[in-house]
Amino acid sequence: MPDIGYWNGQFSSLQDIRLSPEDRGFLFGDGVYEVIRAYQGVPAFAGDHFNRLVRSAGEIRIPVPFDQATFQEILLSGIRQSGYSEVKIYIEITRGVAPRDHVFPAPCEPTVFFSFREMGKVPSEWRLKGVSVITVPDIRWNRCDIKSLNLLPNVLAKQQAKEAGVFEAIFIREGSVMEGATSNVFMVCQGGIYTPLINHQVLAGVTQQHVMRTAQRLGKGMECRSISLEELMRADEVFLTGTTIEILPVVAIDGCSVGQGEPGALTKELQRGFASLV
Ligand code: PDD
């Protein structure tokens, strides 16, 4: 079965969707996106993703042309039509199509696009044995809380990680840990679990939120606070979170082992706690 897409109100095969070259998403990266995962045909944390999509769009003054009930219907219908049970759903809203001009077009009719593709399995070795990461300077803008289409620094950082033979690149801004190119970062120090402050310099991850709640449910000390690179390098455990990766232990940063160089006990406990959620 071909992969399914949804574009401006219509489902079709993904490959039949034709976008205008004057779409502002294409010309300016003028839009926002979300990635949702469905487990056994059920979209996970759809309400949280919808809220973040509406917030991101609102911050750049794009009206979201559907409500949460319609959003849920599109998700369920697309998942059903795709025939997949493990699904990676990509959602994009742009400011629409207009002759190229930086100023917003009036009227503005947003472009809405969803794709429904099979979710590839994260290698179990990554989950069980952990991954390595590098650190890179954070050259992004100051509104990383908006899940915007402008991902060039993330693309370059992720490519740098790939060329270094590691899974992820972690952005460092003025000595502080921000987040990964495609993930949020946590560290464990002396039994406490920490993730960087959630502000305009990082994306508030949906997985991050649920991992924080899982930690609290398990009675673990959990805090959002500024984390220096030195602290991260000395942490007992480090892990990454994200929709597609869930929780991945980090066992080396810039070639130096984290803790004992293997996934830590708290990370494994949170992996089990999160797995029971989804
Ligand atoms: N990215 N930080 C950044 C910069 C991200 O791109 C992502 C996810 C996250 C984790 O957020 P969440 O838990 O809500 O997926 C944090 C998606 C998966 C992507 O761009 O493909």
Side-chain angles (χ1 to χ4, degrees):
M1 200 188 295
D3 285 320
I4 293 291
Y6 174 94
W7 182 65
N8 288 349
Q10 302 256 309
F11 282 103
S12 66
S13 120
L14 193 52
Q15 69 206 26
D16 289 342
I17 294 175
R18 294 282 172 272
L19 281 166
S20 166
E22 290 198 309
D23 195 289
R24 291 176 63 95
F26 178 63
L27 294 177
F28 295 113
D30 188 359
V32 293
Y33 78 104
E34 277 297 323
V35 178
I36 302 186
R37 181 166 176 178
Y39 295 86
Q40 295 171 11
V42 182
F45 315 128
D48 298 328
H49 286 284
F50 177 76
N51 290 340
R52 190 171 62 185
L53 182 68
V54 170
R55 179 182 181 278
S56 292
E59 290 296 309
I60 62 167
R61 296 161 62 191
I62 294 180
V64 174
F66 47 77
D67 60 14
Q68 190 169 348
T70 309
F71 177 71
Q72 192 74 25
E73 275 167 32
I74 299 168
L75 291 180
L76 293 178
S77 177
I79 292 168
R80 190 170 29 78
Q81 293 181 57
S82 77
Y84 299 131
S85 63
E86 302 304 306
V87 199
K88 183 174 173 178
I89 304 152
Y90 175 78
I91 301 149
E92 178 171 318
I93 302 181
T94 79
R95 204 178 304 277
V97 177
R100 187 177 182 281
D101 182 353
H102 287 64
V103 173
F104 298 174
C108 161
E109 268 209 37
T111 298
V112 173
F113 169 66
F114 287 57
S115 68
F116 298 84
R117 311 194 82 135
E118 186 163 31
M119 178 67 218
K121 277 203 162 46
V122 172
S124 53
E125 178 148 340
W126 294 0
R127 258 186 305 114
L128 299 174
K129 300 221 167 109
V131 296
S132 299
V133 303
I134 53 170
T135 58
V136 295
D138 194 350
I139 58 167
R140 300 174 302 163
W141 71 333
N142 251 308
R143 290 305 309 273
C144 300
D145 55 314
I146 300 171
K147 203 160 170 60
S148 100
L149 300 179
N150 292 267
L151 289 175
L152 201 43
N154 308 58
V155 166
L156 293 174
K158 198 77 182 175
Q159 181 64 23
Q160 196 178 330
K162 182 172 184 197
E163 288 171 9
V166 301
F167 173 73
E168 180 64 301
I170 295 181
F171 288 121
I172 307 295
R173 194 186 284 257
E174 291 169 4
S176 294
V177 176
M178 296 289 121
E179 62 184 330
T182 60
S183 58
N184 291 108
V185 179
F186 285 75
M187 72 170 185
V188 176
C189 271
Q190 296 174 344
I193 306 170
Y194 305 94
T195 193
L197 290 172
I198 298 169
N199 56 24
H200 57 286
Q201 291 176 321
V202 294
L203 183 75
V206 169
T207 319
Q208 179 190 42
Q209 293 296 328
H210 286 278
V211 168
M212 284 163 63
R213 272 183 227 160
T214 303
Q216 278 150 0
R217 189 162 44 83
L218 295 172
K220 311 291 176 197
M222 170 72 239
E223 197 190 331
C224 289
R225 68 156 167 85
S226 149
I227 298 175
S228 70
L229 174 58
E230 289 77 44
E231 278 181 293
L232 192 76
M233 302 296 288
R234 282 189 273 107
D236 302 319
E237 304 178 30
V238 174
F239 60 88
L240 306 173
T241 64
T243 295
T244 50
I245 57 170
E246 302 176 327
I247 300 177
L248 282 187
V250 172
V251 292
I253 304 172
D254 290 335
C256 303
S257 289
V258 174
Q260 305 302 312
E262 54 187 44
L266 262 174
T267 306
K268 288 195 223 164
E269 200 176 336
L270 288 170
Q271 280 179 315
R272 285 193 294 273
F274 185 80
S276 71
L277 265 189
V278 294

